[in-house]
PDB file of all heavy atoms in Angstrom:
ATOM      1  N   PRO A 307     -14.610  10.909  -4.558  1.00 92.00           N
ATOM      2  CA  PRO A 307     -15.791  11.838  -4.550  1.00 92.00           C
ATOM      3  C   PRO A 307     -15.566  12.968  -3.627  1.00 92.00           C
ATOM      4  O   PRO A 307     -15.100  12.777  -2.477  1.00 92.00           O
ATOM      5  CB  PRO A 307     -16.917  10.923  -4.065  1.00 92.00           C
ATOM      6  CG  PRO A 307     -16.264   9.832  -3.297  1.00 92.00           C
ATOM      7  CD  PRO A 307     -14.879   9.673  -3.809  1.00 92.00           C
ATOM      8  N   ALA A 308     -15.949  14.139  -4.020  1.00 84.00           N
ATOM      9  CA  ALA A 308     -15.631  15.289  -3.182  1.00 84.00           C
ATOM     10  C   ALA A 308     -16.684  15.576  -2.068  1.00 84.00           C
ATOM     11  O   ALA A 308     -16.383  15.712  -0.949  1.00 84.00           O
ATOM     12  CB  ALA A 308     -15.508  16.559  -4.056  1.00 84.00           C
ATOM     13  N   ASP A 309     -17.882  15.515  -2.453  1.00 88.00           N
ATOM     14  CA  ASP A 309     -18.957  15.886  -1.486  1.00 88.00           C
ATOM     15  C   ASP A 309     -20.169  15.055  -1.657  1.00 88.00           C
ATOM     16  O   ASP A 309     -20.851  15.043  -2.749  1.00 88.00           O
ATOM     17  CB  ASP A 309     -19.338  17.405  -1.748  1.00 88.00           C
ATOM     18  CG  ASP A 309     -20.324  17.903  -0.718  1.00 88.00           C
ATOM     19  OD1 ASP A 309     -20.754  17.082   0.124  1.00 88.00           O
ATOM     20  OD2 ASP A 309     -20.625  19.092  -0.748  1.00 88.00           O
ATOM     21  N   PRO A 310     -20.579  14.284  -0.662  1.00 91.00           N
ATOM     22  CA  PRO A 310     -21.766  13.374  -0.809  1.00 91.00           C
ATOM     23  C   PRO A 310     -23.038  14.124  -1.073  1.00 91.00           C
ATOM     24  O   PRO A 310     -23.979  13.680  -1.695  1.00 91.00           O
ATOM     25  CB  PRO A 310     -21.821  12.640   0.494  1.00 91.00           C
ATOM     26  CG  PRO A 310     -21.118  13.550   1.505  1.00 91.00           C
ATOM     27  CD  PRO A 310     -20.054  14.289   0.747  1.00 91.00           C
ATOM     28  N   GLU A 311     -23.076  15.448  -0.585  1.00 88.00           N
ATOM     29  CA  GLU A 311     -24.345  16.179  -0.760  1.00 88.00           C
ATOM     30  C   GLU A 311     -24.683  16.499  -2.198  1.00 88.00           C
ATOM     31  O   GLU A 311     -25.792  16.842  -2.527  1.00 88.00           O
ATOM     32  CB  GLU A 311     -24.201  17.526  -0.004  1.00 88.00           C
ATOM     33  CG  GLU A 311     -23.633  17.440   1.404  1.00 88.00           C
ATOM     34  CD  GLU A 311     -24.581  17.663   2.482  1.00 88.00           C
ATOM     35  OE1 GLU A 311     -25.791  17.813   2.147  1.00 88.00           O
ATOM     36  OE2 GLU A 311     -24.201  17.697   3.678  1.00 88.00           O
ATOM     37  N   LYS A 312     -23.695  16.340  -3.070  1.00 87.00           N
ATOM     38  CA  LYS A 312     -24.013  16.617  -4.498  1.00 87.00           C
ATOM     39  C   LYS A 312     -24.761  15.445  -5.160  1.00 87.00           C
ATOM     40  O   LYS A 312     -25.313  15.577  -6.254  1.00 87.00           O
ATOM     41  CB  LYS A 312     -22.778  17.016  -5.272  1.00 87.00           C
ATOM     42  CG  LYS A 312     -21.932  15.811  -5.714  1.00 87.00           C
ATOM     43  CD  LYS A 312     -20.835  16.200  -6.673  1.00 87.00           C
ATOM     44  CE  LYS A 312     -20.219  15.092  -7.373  1.00 87.00           C
ATOM     45  NZ  LYS A 312     -19.192  14.344  -6.779  1.00 87.00           N
ATOM     46  N   TYR A 313     -24.849  14.329  -4.463  1.00 90.00           N
ATOM     47  CA  TYR A 313     -25.610  13.184  -5.071  1.00 90.00           C
ATOM     48  C   TYR A 313     -27.071  13.249  -4.627  1.00 90.00           C
ATOM     49  O   TYR A 313     -27.406  13.421  -3.413  1.00 90.00           O
ATOM     50  CB  TYR A 313     -25.056  11.882  -4.544  1.00 90.00           C
ATOM     51  CG  TYR A 313     -23.630  11.562  -5.042  1.00 90.00           C
ATOM     52  CD1 TYR A 313     -22.509  11.859  -4.277  1.00 90.00           C
ATOM     53  CD2 TYR A 313     -23.445  11.042  -6.354  1.00 90.00           C
ATOM     54  CE1 TYR A 313     -21.229  11.584  -4.752  1.00 90.00           C
ATOM     55  CE2 TYR A 313     -22.220  10.813  -6.798  1.00 90.00           C
ATOM     56  CZ  TYR A 313     -21.084  11.082  -6.044  1.00 90.00           C
ATOM     57  OH  TYR A 313     -19.841  10.804  -6.547  1.00 90.00           O
ATOM     58  N   SER A 314     -27.941  13.122  -5.596  1.00 87.00           N
ATOM     59  CA  SER A 314     -29.400  13.199  -5.295  1.00 87.00           C
ATOM     60  C   SER A 314     -29.712  12.008  -4.361  1.00 87.00           C
ATOM     61  O   SER A 314     -30.597  12.081  -3.551  1.00 87.00           O
ATOM     62  CB  SER A 314     -30.210  13.195  -6.526  1.00 87.00           C
ATOM     63  OG  SER A 314     -29.849  12.120  -7.357  1.00 87.00           O
ATOM     64  N   GLU A 315     -29.035  10.935  -4.448  1.00 90.00           N
ATOM     65  CA  GLU A 315     -29.332   9.699  -3.665  1.00 90.00           C
ATOM     66  C   GLU A 315     -28.886   9.914  -2.196  1.00 90.00           C
ATOM     67  O   GLU A 315     -29.326   9.089  -1.366  1.00 90.00           O
ATOM     68  CB  GLU A 315     -28.521   8.486  -4.243  1.00 90.00           C
ATOM     69  CG  GLU A 315     -28.862   8.078  -5.639  1.00 90.00           C
ATOM     70  CD  GLU A 315     -28.064   8.777  -6.749  1.00 90.00           C
ATOM     71  OE1 GLU A 315     -27.434   9.809  -6.386  1.00 90.00           O
ATOM     72  OE2 GLU A 315     -28.021   8.344  -7.861  1.00 90.00           O
ATOM     73  N   TYR A 316     -28.114  10.907  -1.898  1.00 89.00           N
ATOM     74  CA  TYR A 316     -27.539  10.977  -0.543  1.00 89.00           C
ATOM     75  C   TYR A 316     -28.624  11.204   0.494  1.00 89.00           C
ATOM     76  O   TYR A 316     -28.746  10.458   1.506  1.00 89.00           O
ATOM     77  CB  TYR A 316     -26.481  12.060  -0.491  1.00 89.00           C
ATOM     78  CG  TYR A 316     -25.824  12.246   0.884  1.00 89.00           C
ATOM     79  CD1 TYR A 316     -25.030  11.198   1.358  1.00 89.00           C
ATOM     80  CD2 TYR A 316     -25.940  13.428   1.588  1.00 89.00           C
ATOM     81  CE1 TYR A 316     -24.391  11.353   2.606  1.00 89.00           C
ATOM     82  CE2 TYR A 316     -25.305  13.566   2.839  1.00 89.00           C
ATOM     83  CZ  TYR A 316     -24.533  12.553   3.306  1.00 89.00           C
ATOM     84  OH  TYR A 316     -23.890  12.711   4.526  1.00 89.00           O
ATOM     85  N   GLN A 317     -29.459  12.200   0.267  1.00 86.00           N
ATOM     86  CA  GLN A 317     -30.503  12.518   1.273  1.00 86.00           C
ATOM     87  C   GLN A 317     -31.407  11.338   1.430  1.00 86.00           C
ATOM     88  O   GLN A 317     -31.860  10.974   2.541  1.00 86.00           O
ATOM     89  CB  GLN A 317     -31.235  13.796   0.863  1.00 86.00           C
ATOM     90  CG  GLN A 317     -32.005  14.475   1.934  1.00 86.00           C
ATOM     91  CD  GLN A 317     -31.197  14.630   3.263  1.00 86.00           C
ATOM     92  OE1 GLN A 317     -30.037  14.954   3.216  1.00 86.00           O
ATOM     93  NE2 GLN A 317     -31.834  14.487   4.382  1.00 86.00           N
ATOM     94  N   ALA A 318     -31.791  10.700   0.286  1.00 85.00           N
ATOM     95  CA  ALA A 318     -32.708   9.567   0.310  1.00 85.00           C
ATOM     96  C   ALA A 318     -32.025   8.419   1.151  1.00 85.00           C
ATOM     97  O   ALA A 318     -32.743   7.794   1.952  1.00 85.00           O
ATOM     98  CB  ALA A 318     -32.968   9.051  -1.066  1.00 85.00           C
ATOM     99  N   ALA A 319     -30.780   8.164   0.976  1.00 85.00           N
ATOM    100  CA  ALA A 319     -30.089   7.190   1.780  1.00 85.00           C
ATOM    101  C   ALA A 319     -30.125   7.473   3.242  1.00 85.00           C
ATOM    102  O   ALA A 319     -30.340   6.630   4.085  1.00 85.00           O
ATOM    103  CB  ALA A 319     -28.659   6.980   1.252  1.00 85.00           C
ATOM    104  N   ARG A 320     -29.922   8.721   3.552  1.00 84.00           N
ATOM    105  CA  ARG A 320     -29.931   9.131   4.956  1.00 84.00           C
ATOM    106  C   ARG A 320     -31.329   8.859   5.590  1.00 84.00           C
ATOM    107  O   ARG A 320     -31.451   8.328   6.701  1.00 84.00           O
ATOM    108  CB  ARG A 320     -29.589  10.605   5.075  1.00 84.00           C
ATOM    109  CG  ARG A 320     -28.156  10.948   4.800  1.00 84.00           C
ATOM    110  CD  ARG A 320     -27.892  12.448   4.780  1.00 84.00           C
ATOM    111  NE  ARG A 320     -28.398  13.018   6.006  1.00 84.00           N
ATOM    112  CZ  ARG A 320     -27.730  12.988   7.201  1.00 84.00           C
ATOM    113  NH1 ARG A 320     -26.608  12.320   7.265  1.00 84.00           N
ATOM    114  NH2 ARG A 320     -28.223  13.490   8.278  1.00 84.00           N
ATOM    115  N   GLU A 321     -32.344   9.201   4.811  1.00 83.00           N
ATOM    116  CA  GLU A 321     -33.738   9.035   5.328  1.00 83.00           C
ATOM    117  C   GLU A 321     -34.042   7.555   5.445  1.00 83.00           C
ATOM    118  O   GLU A 321     -34.572   7.128   6.464  1.00 83.00           O
ATOM    119  CB  GLU A 321     -34.690   9.758   4.466  1.00 83.00           C
ATOM    120  CG  GLU A 321     -34.752  11.244   4.804  1.00 83.00           C
ATOM    121  CD  GLU A 321     -35.430  12.070   3.695  1.00 83.00           C
ATOM    122  OE1 GLU A 321     -36.202  11.551   2.943  1.00 83.00           O
ATOM    123  OE2 GLU A 321     -35.129  13.308   3.643  1.00 83.00           O
TER     124      GLU A 321
END
Side-chain angles (χ1 to χ4, degrees):
D309 184 355
E311 314 251 5
K312 80 170 195 277
Y313 293 98
S314 52
E315 297 90 342
Y316 182 63
Q317 198 50 37
R320 290 174 52 76
E321 280 164 23

